[in-house]
Amino acid sequence: MAARFPAHRIGGLLTAAFLALVAGCGGPPAPATGVAASPPASGSPAGSAAAEASGSTPAAATAAPEDFAEALPAPLRRAMTGVSWRPGCPAGLDDLRLLHVSYVDFDGRVEQGQLVVNAAIAPATLRVFARLRQARFPIRSMNLIERYGGSDDASMAADNTSAFNCRNVPGTSHWSNHAYGRAVDVNTVENPYLPAGQVMPPAGQAYLDRRDVRPGMIVAGDPTVRAFAAEGFSWGGSWRNGTDYQHFEKPA
């Protein structure tokens, strides 16, 4: 069941946020405000790799507005139609929820992002990202896929963390769990997808040595994997075929 929230918490956010979203849809991909356009060098101030690898968690994270979920607002429904969603997709628009998510960026600042997920996993997804924020795990950006014209390739190249997109698994005729709103991709450059010898996105080539753990990378047993596992998500980084370090999913 999706969480319910008082109308006064929602109304003030919709006008500016979604008019801006609709106005921006179809334009060229661009980094979010205050987010670097390329992955940072090792030693970024947003928490040390050693702390991430050890699983240590700071006593308190930077204060951030409360995260919440809501039914898809009408402007977002219009922006999604024909881009990330179309009739015949396995999840209907009424099955999805918009999440307002705060996260720590690579400069250590708390930013606001958005994800669209299936209503059935909305509360669990919010809890995961609250844990990641508490652990100060850095996230590059968190924009809806509409900002990239619905292109997964463009979103990955921008190192964007995203969720719903009505598409197939690359190279197949099978729906991806992203098409059901039941998968999330995190820091796509630092955590590339490796189907059949490819590296997606190509910039992920710099992160193929998973022993050299740098900020934003996800490795077995780390706080990110544990945060998702605690909510019943499986990790693509553990797959033997088509290893997908960025991918977490929670099928029905």
Side-chain angles (χ1 to χ4, degrees):
M1 180 180 294
R4 300 179 64 183
F5 300 90
H8 72 272
R9 292 180 53 197
I10 298 173
L13 294 168
L14 295 186
T15 302
F18 289 104
L19 288 179
L21 171 64
V22 174
C25 289
T33 302
V35 178
S38 59
S42 181
S44 164
S48 69
E52 292 169 11
S54 68
S56 61
T57 301
T62 304
E66 186 178 3
D67 298 348
F68 66 95
E70 62 175 318
L72 302 183
L76 179 56
R77 288 172 177 248
R78 291 193 293 271
M80 292 174 62
T81 300
V83 180
S84 66
W85 182 88
R86 61 190 181 278
C89 289
L93 293 173
D94 290 339
D95 299 325
L96 303 172
R97 295 292 181 268
L98 173 66
L99 306 187
H100 298 265
V101 181
S102 47
Y103 64 92
V104 176
D105 72 8
F106 276 76
D107 293 319
R109 297 186 300 258
V110 174
E111 303 285 356
Q112 285 290 303
Q114 296 177 329
L115 296 170
V116 170
V117 302
N118 194 290
I121 70 165
T125 305
L126 287 175
R127 290 192 294 268
V128 167
F129 282 95
R131 290 187 179 101
L132 298 189
R133 187 177 65 248
Q134 177 70 23
R136 299 195 66 78
F137 173 78
I139 292 174
R140 179 77 56 191
S141 66
M142 191 182 293
N143 300 310
L144 300 183
I145 199 74
E146 279 65 40
R147 184 164 186 174
Y148 307 95
S151 168
D152 186 50
D153 287 341
S155 179
M156 284 194 295
D159 204 10
N160 186 52
T161 293
S162 66
F164 176 78
N165 193 5
C166 185
R167 60 175 177 81
N168 292 338
V169 175
T172 77
S173 59
H174 306 298
W175 289 120
S176 164
N177 273 312
H178 288 283
Y180 296 88
R182 288 180 166 273
V184 182
D185 288 341
V186 179
N187 286 352
T188 49
V189 170
E190 290 82 3
N191 303 290
Y193 172 40
L194 309 176
Q198 301 178 66
V199 179
M200 300 175 66
Q205 185 81 32
Y207 293 88
L208 292 183
D209 183 355
R210 307 307 289 180
R211 298 166 298 179
D212 180 14
V213 182
R214 286 156 282 169
M217 290 177 64
I218 301 167
V219 297
D222 75 2
T224 304
V225 173
R226 295 202 307 272
F228 276 98
E231 296 294 343
F233 287 79
S234 59
W235 179 44
S238 65
W239 298 346
R240 293 187 176 181
N241 297 314
T243 303
D244 198 349
Y245 294 114
Q246 64 195 246
H247 182 90
F248 294 90
E249 63 180 33
K250 188 176 183 179

